[in-house]
Amino acid sequence: NTHFSSNPAAAMEVPEEALKALKAPQSYHKVYKEECVFDFTNPYAPEGLYVNLKTFQAVSKDFLPLDQKRNRNFPLYLHQSWTRKVKDEDKSEGEGQAKPTKFAVGVKGGFELPDSKIQVVKANAICLVSKEGKEVKRAVYDQESRKGFPAPLVQVVDSILNRTDSTESKDIFTGSLDEEVVESKFAKDLVQLDNGVKVPNDPDAWKCAESGLKKNLWLNLSTGYIGSGRKETGGTEAAIKHFEDTGRKYPLVVKLGTITPESADVYSYAENKMVLDPLLDAHLKHWGLDRSKLYKTDKDMTQIQIDAQSKAFEASAITGEEEQQKPVKGLGFQGLVNFGNSCYINSTLQMLMSIDEFKKRYVNHAESVFQRAPSDPGADITTQLCKLAVALNSTKYQTESEANKALKTKAKLPELGDPAIEIRPKMLKKAIAKDHYDFAGGRQQDAQEYILHVFKAISRDAGAFPNTPGAQDLTKLFEFALEEKTVDDQSKQVGLKVQNGQTFLTIPIPKASTKGSQHQGDGQPLEKKSKTDVEKKALPTEIVPVEKCFEQFCSPSMLEGYTSPVTQKKGVAFRSQKMRTFPQYLLIQMYRFEQVDRRAEGKGYQIQKIRRQVPMPQQLDLKALASTGLLENEKALPKAKKSKPKANDDIVAAVMNMGFTKNAAIRAAINTQNSGAEQAVMWVLGHTEDPDLNSPMDDDGDDEEADTDGVDPNAVAQIAAMGLPAKHAPKALKACNGDVGRAIEWLFSRQGQLDDESKAKVAKVEPGKNPDPSKYELLGFVSHIGDNAMSGHYVSHLKKGGKWALFNDNKITLCDKPPFGLGYIYLYKRI
C-alpha cells in the first residue's frame, strides 16, 4: 500500500544511491513531463502521471513496471496530478489569482476554446517506486514542503517543473486559412496616444464602445478604442469605422479574447491582412493590459474562417450539416485533438491506421516494441506509431470522467471536454518530422506531402532496425510501377520505359468549361470578405466523371526538341503513361491545386484550388489504366547510346581558380549542365558538406534521372542556378509540364527525398502487359476545406464495419452521404 505524508523528511527515507545519481536536466536534455511516452495518459488522469527523476521521462501507472526494468530500478519519481474547478468568483484581478490554463472544450472542427470560468489546480508529490513497479511511498511537494527534501532532489524537481515539455513546438504560429502572416510595417514605430484610456484585464468588462457587444472585439493599439468586428463575423464594424473616422492614421488592432502569453490575432487595416506585432507586450501594457494574465475567451481568425466556410457549400458538403451529424463512439472511432494546425496529421494518420496491415504491425507488436524501445522512446518512430495505433484501436480514451460531468454542470459549460481522455500525437509528430523543418513547425501542411514523408520515415526506420519486433516496410504495400510510352513522330517507332517505386497515382481534373466558371483562390483575407463571396468561392460549378480524369491521365503529351534515336534529328515525340503494376493499396491524389500566372495583375504566381467534383466510385476498376507493353503493330525504338557527360574545361578552370578541387569543379559543371561558371560555383557552395564532393565521378549514370528527352536545357540551368541538383531537374520539369517555377517548388518540397528514393530498394519490372487484378474497393479519403493545400482544414471519411464516418479531429460522426466527389486523397484496397 502507498504511504502518504506531508512530512517529507520523516516519510521518504530517500535511498542514498538514488540521491547520488540525481542530476538536473540541462538545456540539451529532453523532458517529457506532460504525457506518458508509451500511452496518452497525462496529469489530468485519475491516477496522475509519474516522471522518472533520472531519465526525465513520464510514464503512466500502468507502465511503471516497464520503466523500472528499463532504468535499472531507479526508484524516484515526480508525481503530477492536475484537476479543474470553477474559478473562485470572489478573487479580483491581479495578485493572487491563479494563472489560467488552456484546455479543449469540444469546439466544432476540433479547435480548443478555453473558458474564463475554469482554473487548473496542480498538485505535485515525490514517490518511491519498488522494483516491481508499485508505488510504496509518497510525500507532497510544494513551496513549503520542498524545504525538507534533500537539495539534489529539489534541484532536479524544480528544474523539471520549470522546463517546457519537449513535445511543445517552438513555432507557436497558429496560422490562417488564406494568408502568410508577417510582421506589420507599422509595428515598430506605432503611435500610441496618451489619452488616459485604460483597459481592464477582466474579459467580462470588455465591450464595444458603439454597440455594447461583448464578443468579437478589437482593441485599437494606437487609441485604446474597443470596437466590434465586421458584420460577416457577427459585429457592427465599429472597429473599422473608428479607423476610418480617425483619418486612417491608426491601423493596428488586436482581437480581445485571442491574447495569450504566446499568441494573439493582430490585424492591419492599412495592410488589409493579419500581421505580427513583435512589440505587442509593450503596446498592450500602454493600455493597462498584462499579457501574462490573459487567455483565450473568443475564437481566433482561423476558427472564424473555418466557421464561415462551414456555411459554404464545400465545407457543408464535406462535413455535413451540424444538426444532422450523429456522434459515434466505440472500437475504431477514436478522435484526435487538433493541437495547432494538426488536422493534416490527424486526417492522414486516421486513414493509414485503418489499414489492416498497419494494425497488425503497430498494435499486435506494441508490447514487444515498448519493451525494446531505445533510451528516448518519445523520439522513436516505431514506438510512437505503436502508441498511437493502440490508442486508436481501443476505447480507453472514450469514457468521460464523473468529475468532468460534474464540472460541466456546475460551470454551465455543456461542451466542456475532458482533457484526461484527449489524444494529441505530439511525440509522433516530432519523431516523424525531426529532419523536416516544415513538418516540425506549427504551420498547416499539404496532406499528400505529409504522407510521403511518413512513408519515408517508416521505410527508413524499417531498414535501420530490421530486428525490431514485427519489422516490416509497410510502404511496399503502396508501391507500383508506371510504364511510359514514347512515340517518335519521325520514325513512328515506340520506346518503353518503367518508373518503379511510385506510391501515389496523381490524377488530373480536366479544366472546367468557361460557362459558369468563376475566379477562385484570390488570397484575400476572409476578415474583409462578405458571406456571399465565401459561399460563391466554395461552390463547385462542374461535375467531372472519373473516366474523363483517367482519360486525361493516359492521353499523350507532346515533347518538343526530342532527338530521334532513328534519324538523330530533333523533332517531336508523344509521351503517354499507364500502370505497369497495380499495388495492394492504391493512393490516388486528385490534382486539386494548380499554379496560375497572375503576373498581369501584379500578383505573380499563385496557387489556385480546383473545386470541381469528381465522384469517385466505391468499386473501382482500373483496367483502362493497365499498360499493354509493345503492341503487335508497334516497332521498338533502338536504345539510345548513353554517353558519359563531359564537363566544360573553361567552367572547371574557373571553379578551380576559386580554390576548389578539380573533382569538385567537374561535379559542379556536370550537375549544372555546363550552364556557366557562376552556377557551378554556387553549386559547390551548396554541396560543401557532401562526403563525395572531392571524389571522382562514377562512370555509371542514373537512367531515370538521365532522361532529358523533351527537356529545355535552359530550364535545367535555371533550376541549377537555384542551388538545386541538376540531375533531378528533368524529372521535376516533366512532373510540372516544363514550368520552371513549379519545378523549383516541386524540388524544394522534396529535398533529400529524391536521393533517398534513388537509393531505396524497389521492386523493378520491365515494360510489358500489366497482368495484375485491377478491381479496388474504397476504404477512405481525405478532403480539404479552403483555398490552399498549405492552409484551410483537413478531414477524413473512413468506412468502418460497413458504415461511413467523418473523422473531424476529435469529433467523429456517422455519415449517410459521404462527399465522394470532393476528396483530395483516396485510399483503395485491391479485391
Side-chain angles (χ1 to χ4, degrees):
N1 294 327
T2 303
H3 298 283
F4 298 87
S5 174
S6 59
N7 185 343
M12 291 306 294
E13 299 177 2
V14 179
E16 191 66 28
E17 290 183 5
L19 282 177
K20 291 180 180 179
L22 288 174
K23 291 182 180 179
Q26 303 301 307
S27 58
Y28 52 82
H29 285 124
K30 292 182 181 179
V31 175
Y32 300 106
K33 65 175 185 176
E34 295 183 3
E35 183 181 281
C36 173
V37 293
F38 297 115
D39 66 19
F40 289 94
T41 300
N42 60 44
Y44 287 105
E47 66 273 17
L49 193 65
Y50 297 80
V51 183
N52 187 305
L53 295 185
K54 187 176 181 181
T55 65
F56 320 127
Q57 295 172 4
V59 293
S60 63
K61 185 177 181 180
D62 292 341
F63 282 98
L64 277 175
L66 175 59
D67 195 60
Q68 281 295 295
K69 290 180 182 178
R70 283 169 46 82
N71 296 295
R72 298 183 179 181
N73 307 122
F74 186 78
L76 289 174
Y77 290 80
L78 165 66
H79 181 268
Q80 297 182 101
S81 179
W82 298 354
T83 56
R84 299 183 301 171
K85 68 174 186 176
V86 176
K87 187 178 293 185
D88 296 334
E89 298 288 343
D90 58 346
K91 285 200 174 183
S92 59
E93 182 70 25
E95 187 177 352
Q97 184 170 357
K99 186 176 179 179
T101 303
K102 296 190 293 183
F103 43 83
V105 296
V107 171
K108 176 181 177 181
F111 294 91
E112 297 179 302
L113 181 61
D115 192 275
S116 58
K117 296 181 180 181
I118 306 297
Q119 72 179 72
V120 177
V121 179
K122 298 182 178 181
N124 300 314
I126 305 301
C127 295
L128 279 177
V129 175
S130 70
K131 295 179 180 180
E132 294 74 30
K134 301 290 185 181
E135 180 185 339
V136 292
K137 290 184 180 180
R138 180 187 298 188
V140 172
Y141 186 90
D142 55 24
Q143 284 299 109
E144 184 62 32
S145 64
R146 66 190 288 276
K147 301 173 184 176
F149 286 99
L153 187 146
V154 172
Q155 185 182 13
V156 172
V157 173
D158 286 356
S159 296
I160 291 173
L161 291 173
N162 291 327
R163 281 282 295 272
T164 300
D165 189 271
S166 290
T167 61
E168 293 299 324
S169 173
K170 293 182 181 179
D171 184 348
I172 59 172
F173 174 82
T174 56
S176 175
L177 279 179
D178 299 309
E179 314 173 72
E180 180 77 7
V181 180
V182 297
E183 181 179 323
S184 171
K185 62 183 181 181
F186 301 102
K188 289 186 178 178
D189 299 315
L190 186 72
V191 174
Q192 290 194 286
L193 305 181
D194 290 320
N195 54 13
V197 173
K198 291 297 175 184
V199 179
N201 254 44
D202 182 7
D204 291 334
W206 300 334
K207 63 180 179 180
C208 174
E210 178 188 80
S211 64
L213 287 174
K214 305 279 287 183
K215 291 287 185 181
N216 191 19
L217 302 176
W218 295 81
L219 168 68
N220 190 296
L221 291 172
S222 293
T223 67
Y225 180 88
I226 298 177
S228 63
R230 301 178 189 268
K231 290 181 180 179
E232 57 265 29
T233 58
T236 63
E237 302 197 341
I240 193 171
K241 287 178 187 175
H242 177 72
F243 168 66
E244 299 286 351
D245 294 343
T246 52
R248 302 176 63 88
K249 294 187 295 184
Y250 310 120
L252 292 192
V253 290
V254 60
K255 188 173 186 185
L256 297 174
T258 70
I259 306 169
T260 73
E262 295 84 19
S263 62
D265 277 3
V266 180
Y267 192 84
S268 171
Y269 289 123
E271 296 163 278
N272 286 326
K273 62 182 180 181
M274 303 298 296
V275 294
L276 297 177
D277 180 1
L279 304 176
L280 184 59
D281 287 19
H283 292 158
L284 291 172
K285 190 174 182 180
H286 179 85
W287 303 112
L289 289 171
D290 183 350
R291 188 176 182 181
S292 68
K293 295 178 180 177
L294 294 174
Y295 48 96
K296 282 178 74 175
T297 60
D298 202 355
K299 296 181 179 182
D300 58 31
M301 289 308 299
T302 298
Q303 293 167 302
I304 285 177
Q305 292 184 47
I306 288 290
D307 287 345
Q309 290 208 358
S310 291
K311 298 173 184 176
F313 179 87
E314 180 185 59
S316 62
I318 290 174
T319 62
E321 297 297 335
E322 186 172 7
E323 60 271 12
Q324 297 176 0
Q325 294 176 355
K326 303 173 185 177
V328 60
K329 290 184 178 181
L331 199 62
F333 296 99
Q334 174 62 55
L336 299 173
V337 171
N338 189 314
F339 51 92
N341 287 325
S342 65
C343 57
Y344 73 96
I345 298 175
N346 294 348
S347 57
T348 54
L349 290 179
Q350 288 277 18
M351 185 173 71
L352 292 177
M353 286 298 177
S354 69
I355 297 172
D356 288 339
E357 286 80 359
F358 273 73
K359 295 177 188 177
K360 292 175 183 176
R361 168 72 180 95
Y362 296 114
V363 177
N364 296 359
H365 296 281
E367 185 177 348
S368 299
V369 168
F370 293 157
Q371 290 175 353
R372 298 176 58 175
S375 58
D376 184 4
D380 181 60
I381 293 170
T382 300
T383 300
Q384 293 307 310
L385 284 170
C386 286
K387 171 180 169 179
L388 177 66
V390 170
L392 291 179
N393 288 278
S394 74
T395 58
K396 177 180 179 180
Y397 302 96
Q398 295 185 8
T399 304
E400 183 182 11
S401 67
E402 294 300 321
N404 196 73
K405 293 177 182 177
L407 185 62
K408 286 197 300 188
T409 302
K410 188 173 182 180
K412 298 179 181 179
L413 296 171
E415 298 297 316
L416 185 66
D418 187 348
I421 57 172
E422 291 175 341
I423 298 178
R424 293 174 169 83
K426 290 184 177 182
M427 291 186 197
L428 177 58
K429 175 187 174 180
K430 284 216 160 189
I432 288 176
K434 57 187 173 186
D435 61 347
H436 196 293
Y437 174 81
D438 291 330
F439 295 133
R443 298 174 187 268
Q444 185 71 280
Q445 302 296 330
D446 186 322
Q448 187 259 355
E449 291 183 4
Y450 186 68
I451 291 177
L452 285 174
H453 188 72
V454 170
F455 281 2
K456 174 183 172 183
I458 289 175
S459 183
R460 183 179 55 200
D461 198 59
F465 306 102
N467 296 323
T468 303
Q472 180 186 0
D473 186 354
L474 294 173
T475 66
K476 302 299 180 185
L477 299 170
F478 304 88
E479 280 189 0
F480 63 93
L482 287 174
E483 182 179 270
E484 200 174 74
K485 175 180 284 190
T486 303
V487 179
D488 176 18
D489 192 51
Q490 297 179 58
S491 67
K492 308 303 179 184
Q493 296 181 19
V494 176
L496 296 176
K497 179 184 174 183
V498 173
Q499 295 181 10
N500 295 287
Q502 305 295 307
T503 51
F504 264 95
L505 184 66
T506 300
I507 300 297
I509 304 176
K511 290 186 179 296
S513 61
T514 55
K515 182 180 179 181
S517 63
Q518 57 193 14
H519 183 65
Q520 298 174 347
D522 57 8
Q524 187 181 27
L526 213 139
E527 160 70 4
K528 55 181 284 190
K529 295 175 185 175
S530 70
K531 175 181 174 182
T532 305
D533 290 336
V534 175
E535 291 179 349
K536 283 182 180 178
K537 186 171 69 172
L539 182 65
T541 58
E542 185 180 352
I543 296 177
V544 182
V546 67
E547 291 79 12
K548 289 287 185 183
C549 299
F550 288 157
E551 183 180 316
Q552 182 165 323
F553 173 81
C554 298
S555 63
S557 58
M558 180 185 291
L559 300 177
E560 297 181 357
Y562 176 81
T563 302
S564 169
V566 177
T567 67
Q568 300 302 315
K569 296 179 180 179
K570 286 192 177 291
V572 298
F574 296 90
R575 179 167 290 167
S576 60
Q577 58 184 351
K578 288 195 173 184
M579 299 182 72
R580 176 63 181 83
T581 60
F582 292 131
Q584 185 172 345
Y585 289 93
L586 176 65
L587 284 168
I588 295 179
Q589 176 197 23
M590 303 307 296
Y591 196 75
R592 288 204 171 274
F593 303 98
E594 61 181 354
Q595 192 174 49
V596 293
D597 188 351
R598 293 259 180 89
R599 288 176 295 179
E601 305 171 38
K603 297 181 180 180
Y605 288 96
Q606 291 192 345
I607 300 297
Q608 175 175 292
K609 186 171 184 179
I610 300 172
R611 299 184 185 275
R612 298 183 287 280
Q613 295 191 61
V614 183
M616 296 296 286
Q618 295 194 59
Q619 303 290 327
L620 178 66
D621 193 339
L622 295 178
K623 186 164 52 178
L625 270 63
S627 66
T628 59
L630 197 68
L631 299 176
E632 289 184 7
N633 61 339
E634 294 176 335
K635 184 178 180 180
L637 276 169
K639 289 189 177 181
K641 295 180 180 179
K642 293 190 180 293
S643 59
K644 181 181 177 182
K646 186 173 183 352
N648 180 285
D649 292 338
D650 293 337
I651 294 176
V652 171
V655 175
M656 291 177 67
N657 285 337
M658 296 292 293
F660 299 106
T661 67
K662 183 177 181 179
N663 285 329
I666 291 173
R667 283 180 178 274
I670 291 175
N671 278 289
T672 56
Q673 305 283 300
N674 291 315
S675 55
E678 183 180 352
Q679 290 89 338
V681 170
M682 292 298 294
W683 184 92
V684 174
L685 292 174
H687 292 78
T688 54
E689 300 297 322
D690 291 2
D692 58 351
L693 177 65
N694 299 304
S695 303
M697 289 197 70
D698 295 332
D699 290 340
D700 298 328
D702 187 323
D703 288 345
E704 246 182 69
E705 301 296 350
D707 183 5
T708 58
D709 289 340
V711 175
D712 182 358
N714 293 324
V716 174
Q718 283 182 263
I719 292 174
M722 295 291 294
L724 293 164
K727 67 178 181 179
H728 296 320
K731 186 172 185 178
L733 287 165
K734 287 182 180 181
C736 301
N737 296 320
D739 188 309
V740 175
R742 285 179 55 203
I744 290 172
E745 291 181 9
W746 190 89
L747 285 171
F748 267 122
S749 69
R750 291 162 173 81
Q751 289 191 70
Q753 181 178 317
L754 293 172
D755 287 323
D756 287 342
E757 286 176 359
S758 63
K759 296 174 185 175
K761 294 179 180 179
V762 297
K764 293 188 176 182
V765 294
E766 297 300 320
K769 185 177 181 179
N770 184 348
D772 298 337
S774 60
K775 293 184 178 180
Y776 285 83
E777 179 182 10
L778 183 63
L779 299 183
F781 56 98
V782 172
S783 302
H784 174 267
I785 302 168
D787 285 342
N788 192 311
M790 307 292 283
S791 62
H793 187 57
Y794 287 97
V795 299
S796 57
H797 286 81
L798 303 175
K799 195 173 185 179
K800 301 269 188 174
K803 295 182 179 180
W804 283 94
L806 165 67
F807 288 73
N808 187 358
D809 288 330
N810 206 30
K811 184 176 181 180
I812 303 176
T813 54
L814 292 177
C815 184
D816 295 330
K817 297 179 180 179
F820 296 120
L822 295 173
Y824 176 42
I825 298 168
Y826 293 85
L827 171 65
Y828 282 90
K829 180 179 181 180
R830 193 168 61 192
I831 53 178

